[in-house]
Amino acid sequence: MKNLWNKNKIRSYYNPIKFIILIEEMNPLFKKGNCGDSMSFIIFILDQLHDELKHIRDSNASDYYSLQDHYDAKKAFNNFFESFKSQTSIITDIFFGIDESRLICLNCKNNYSKEGKAYPIYYNYTTYNFLIFPLEEVIKYRNNNMNQNKTVTLEDCFIYNQKMDLMTGENQNWFNTSKQLCDTNYIVNIYSSPNVMILILNREKNNCSDVKLDFKETIDIT
């Protein structure tokens, strides 16, 4: 960075060879000749910068939160935020957002609804710095599992990303209220978006290289 902004330098550019050599030393995945991945690279760089630049502050948050705390959305968020703010950096300020995941126990939902009481929902809050959109899955979801139109919109991607999933069998979740493993509905919503959101288009499945993404100059994701 000093070389880039040095006013006394005659050249208006900086040869990044030293930077490249340093990256190769830090992570063998990015050695010359290896088939590195742009997603892995941006995640690695942001993680390294965050570790170097983070400010560790005192926090009163406990290392352990009871499952019961997570039934209260406000309490679950406050617990998460107290833990998160203890280690922040300019990277988290710019690139990190918060998402809210909800687990809805179908057994509790059925029983509680009959009794006229509000059924418990398990809330959890985590940070994210990128969203992955699997284009083939987005197309199938939009077309009701029919792989037809090869053009998707950014709105299609966000709708797919926040769809509700049914978790059964080996993916069942334990709920304290019913004291058993239960079928659940699982959904993740964007709680807050970062100033800079990284979107990764996954084209790996069934050769999705010809899938076109249609997007506007601005998009409202509220």
Side-chain angles (χ1 to χ4, degrees):
M1 292 303 294
K2 287 179 180 177
N3 276 282
L4 282 172
W5 294 99
N6 189 343
K7 295 180 179 178
N8 298 321
K9 289 187 72 69
I10 300 175
R11 295 183 300 176
S12 59
Y13 64 90
Y14 177 69
N15 189 334
I17 188 64
K18 290 182 180 179
F19 175 74
I20 293 171
I21 292 172
L22 178 62
I23 295 298
E24 288 181 342
E25 291 174 353
M26 295 175 70
N27 193 330
L29 179 66
F30 304 116
K31 280 187 177 294
K32 187 181 295 184
N34 285 358
C35 187
D37 180 283
S38 60
M39 179 183 75
S40 301
F41 181 72
I42 190 66
I43 293 171
F44 171 73
I45 289 295
L46 291 178
D47 284 346
Q48 292 299 318
L49 289 173
H50 169 65
D51 286 341
E52 294 290 341
L53 299 170
K54 66 186 177 185
H55 305 284
I56 300 178
R57 302 185 179 96
D58 292 333
S59 174
N60 296 322
S62 169
D63 290 331
Y64 172 77
Y65 309 131
S66 70
L67 186 65
Q68 192 63 41
D69 288 342
H70 289 269
Y71 287 129
D72 184 325
K74 186 175 182 180
K75 187 177 288 187
F77 178 79
N78 288 339
N79 283 340
F80 153 76
F81 189 71
E82 282 297 314
S83 176
F84 171 66
K85 75 178 184 180
S86 65
Q87 295 192 42
T88 59
S89 69
I90 192 173
I91 302 300
T92 57
D93 293 343
I94 296 173
F95 291 100
F96 277 61
I98 302 170
D99 59 31
E100 175 192 77
S101 59
R102 281 175 283 164
L103 279 175
I104 303 171
C105 172
L106 297 184
N107 182 58
C108 296
K109 182 177 180 180
N110 294 333
N111 293 336
Y112 274 62
S113 58
K114 292 175 183 176
E115 299 175 13
K117 295 189 297 185
Y119 54 86
I121 301 176
Y122 177 84
Y123 295 88
N124 194 40
Y125 296 87
T126 53
T127 59
Y128 68 94
N129 58 358
F130 59 89
L131 296 177
I132 300 179
F133 298 140
L135 294 186
E136 183 187 34
E137 299 302 320
V138 172
I139 291 174
K140 288 183 178 180
Y141 182 73
R142 186 200 57 194
N143 296 340
N144 296 320
N145 287 322
M146 301 280 292
N147 200 346
Q148 299 171 340
N149 192 343
K150 284 285 190 175
T151 299
V152 297
T153 68
L154 205 50
E155 287 90 343
D156 292 334
C157 293
F158 277 103
I159 291 171
Y160 171 84
N161 197 65
Q162 299 183 84
K163 71 183 188 328
M164 185 173 288
D165 292 317
L166 176 62
M167 305 182 74
T168 61
E170 294 181 354
N171 295 319
Q172 284 184 324
N173 289 275
W174 177 270
F175 270 74
N176 282 349
T177 48
S178 55
K179 305 298 181 184
Q180 62 180 342
L181 289 169
C182 300
D183 290 347
T184 55
N185 279 331
Y186 176 72
I187 186 170
V188 179
N189 288 316
I190 295 174
Y191 187 86
S192 70
S193 59
N195 291 319
V196 176
M197 181 181 285
I198 300 172
L199 307 179
I200 296 171
L201 308 179
N202 189 337
R203 300 176 179 273
E204 291 180 357
K205 276 194 172 183
N206 294 335
N207 191 20
C208 285
S209 59
D210 59 339
V211 174
K212 295 180 180 179
L213 181 73
D214 184 25
F215 59 94
K216 302 173 184 176
E217 187 172 345
T218 59
I219 180 173
D220 183 359
I221 61 170
T222 55

